[in-house]
Amino acid sequence: MPKSRSPSVRERVAQSRERRRRAGLKRVEVLVPNDKVDLVKAYVAQLREGSDSETREKVRQLLVKAYRNYHAQYLDNIKVDIDKADFADAAIVAAALMHRGNAEAYKLGRQIRSLVR
């Protein structure tokens, strides 16, 4: 029976690196004193979390703008708590703005959608 060809180690590493690159991640190697390793790990965790929280804050600011400008016209049947809104909520608001709104609402919907993808 012929064996199915599995990817070599080199191919798997290349695929992994490509997935990370597409996800916007960059590998960094640093040399630090032994007693500072935990500080570096904590800082890296903050960086990873921070990028998502910054995007979430931008999305929430755009949601405030959307509700301020278009609530009565295009978002009358969509109730989102802006303080707790996540990316799924923002995607719903973006879709409503893009499908029901005028040119300015469409533009705002595209901005929101580009952040939640």
Side-chain angles (χ1 to χ4, degrees), residues 15 17-25:
Q15 289 170 355
R17 287 180 179 162
E18 179 62 21
R19 277 193 307 271
R20 289 182 189 137
R21 186 192 63 74
R22 278 187 265 128
L25 300 174

Side-chain angles (χ1 to χ4, degrees), residues 61-111:
Q61 289 171 357
L62 291 174
L63 289 176
V64 167
K65 182 177 179 181
Y67 272 93
R68 183 178 60 238
N69 295 341
Y70 304 111
H71 178 69
Q73 298 161 321
Y74 311 123
L75 302 174
D76 56 338
N77 63 344
I78 300 172
K79 180 73 173 157
V80 172
D81 182 3
I82 294 174
D83 296 328
K84 297 178 182 176
D86 60 5
F87 294 141
D89 296 328
I92 292 168
V93 171
L97 290 172
M98 291 171 64
H99 294 287
R100 298 176 67 194
N102 60 16
E104 290 298 316
Y106 182 85
K107 188 174 171 182
L108 181 59
R110 293 272 308 208
Q111 284 180 307

Side-chain angles (χ1 to χ4, degrees), residues 25-45:
L25 300 174
K26 178 78 175 177
R27 181 186 165 141
V28 178
E29 186 174 329
V30 295
L31 299 172
V32 295
N34 286 338
D35 61 333
K36 304 294 183 189
V37 170
D38 291 336
L39 290 174
V40 172
K41 287 181 180 179
Y43 183 65
V44 168

